[in-house]
Amino acid sequence: MKKPSEKKMLPPRLPKSAIPHHVALVMDGNGRWAKQRGLPRTKGHEAGEAALFDVVEGALLIGVKELSAYAFSTENWRRSPDEVKFLMGFNREVIRRRRDQMNEMGVRIRWVGRPQKLWKSVMNELLEAEELTKRNKKLTLNMCVNYGGRAEIADAAALLAQDVAKKRIKPDQINEKLFSKYLDEPTMSDVDLFLRSSGEQRTSNFLLWQSAYAEMVFMDVLWPDVTRETLWKAIEIYAGRERRFGKA
């Protein structure tokens, strides 16, 4: 079966105001996809690579400006040592394989996550991809590797507490705007559309601060079977909702 990129599909026609600026992706279902086919879990992760980059192309076509991909969470260290080892190496190789392609497409790659425990080789690939693509403006792809929403907030609180202790900041100056400057990527925009595959309906500790007013869309499709059409369908659902941000 041909991937949508080979079919030259066009996105649905929607007003610009109906397109989410920032889409968060929880790429769930790789393991179940592999199990259904009698394959090892690693094969599901490998199949998920093509899905991510088809979604990137779909985002570019419809006008999304920021994507955040949950590539490896702070909780994923609890998986079997063999799977962790595979995921570390796989993330490193994916970034290395795809960074030139992303650069040619005008995609800026940013790494979001904790450096602690992360393999140095993976970190180096992420930092090189950031440097290579830093001037691109068509789309920002946040690769969230060794990331956790609670960890991000806790780390930000610790850094802020240090500045208060050093009298750089007064406690009565602290508000949401100031606190956000201590997050992993202060310039990241708020999430508009939070998209999770596989039918599961939870955030799994992803971008908790940034997703405070995100529209949640849960699609009953395993991640390796996700295409740009899946993204576009989620955006159509998003476009049909009324966003009030606490207003009546």
Side-chain angles (χ1 to χ4, degrees):
M1 181 177 176
K2 289 185 176 182
K3 274 285 182 185
S5 55
E6 298 176 84
K7 300 177 190 174
K8 296 184 179 178
M9 298 185 65
L10 296 176
R13 292 185 178 180
L14 293 170
K16 190 175 180 180
S17 60
I19 305 299
H21 178 89
H22 184 182
V23 178
L25 301 171
V26 178
M27 305 178 290
D28 193 23
N30 292 337
R32 275 168 284 171
W33 183 91
K35 185 177 180 180
Q36 287 177 1
R37 290 158 178 78
L39 301 170
R41 289 175 59 86
T42 54
K43 293 298 181 184
H45 296 307
E46 289 174 359
E49 178 187 347
L52 173 59
F53 288 96
D54 198 61
V55 168
V56 169
E57 289 183 326
L60 283 164
L61 284 171
I62 202 167
V64 171
K65 293 300 182 183
E66 191 167 2
L67 276 179
S68 291
Y70 209 6
F72 190 91
S73 78
T74 49
E75 287 75 36
N76 285 159
W77 295 107
R78 301 172 189 167
R79 296 188 178 185
S80 72
D82 285 344
E83 186 170 1
V84 168
K85 183 179 179 180
F86 171 83
L87 287 170
M88 283 290 104
F90 183 63
N91 273 299
R92 179 184 62 212
E93 297 306 313
V94 167
I95 297 157
R96 182 181 296 164
R97 272 198 305 273
R98 297 285 189 166
R99 66 185 178 198
D100 289 337
Q101 178 187 0
M102 294 293 98
N103 190 41
E104 290 172 5
M105 293 164 63
V107 175
R108 178 189 179 194
I109 297 171
R110 287 194 305 200
W111 166 42
V112 181
R114 276 180 164 176
Q116 298 95 321
K117 294 178 70 174
L118 189 60
W119 285 15
K120 187 176 180 181
S121 59
V122 178
M123 199 183 308
N124 288 341
E125 291 294 340
L126 287 161
L127 293 174
E128 285 182 24
E130 279 191 343
E131 181 63 25
L132 175 68
T133 64
K134 66 183 180 182
R135 293 182 179 83
N136 294 339
K137 299 184 183 302
K138 288 186 178 179
L139 172 73
T140 296
L141 173 62
N142 298 310
M143 292 295 293
C144 300
V145 183
N146 198 26
Y147 174 86
R150 286 182 172 180
E152 179 182 31
I153 293 169
D155 290 347
L159 290 171
L160 179 55
Q162 289 175 21
D163 279 351
V164 171
K166 292 174 182 176
K167 301 189 184 309
R168 292 173 179 167
I169 291 173
K170 296 178 181 177
D172 60 6
Q173 292 179 300
I174 299 172
N175 54 30
E176 292 177 17
K177 184 177 181 181
L178 176 65
F179 187 86
S180 66
K181 293 179 180 179
Y182 289 83
L183 296 172
D184 288 354
E185 184 44 69
T187 62
M188 181 188 288
S189 60
D190 285 345
V191 174
D192 299 303
L193 168 60
F194 189 106
L195 172 59
R196 182 177 187 135
S197 61
S198 87
E200 300 290 348
Q201 299 188 19
R202 57 181 179 272
T203 63
S204 291
N205 196 25
F206 189 44
L207 297 179
L208 299 179
W209 180 276
Q210 298 86 348
S211 298
Y213 275 98
E215 294 296 326
M216 303 289 178
V217 175
F218 304 105
M219 305 295 277
D220 195 12
V221 53
L222 300 177
W223 180 257
D225 293 326
V226 166
T227 67
R228 63 188 67 188
E229 286 183 282
T230 313
L231 172 69
W232 295 343
K233 176 62 178 174
I235 290 174
E236 288 183 302
I237 294 170
Y238 166 89
R241 293 183 182 175
E242 182 183 359
R243 306 185 76 200
R244 294 191 295 273
F245 300 97
K247 295 179 289 187

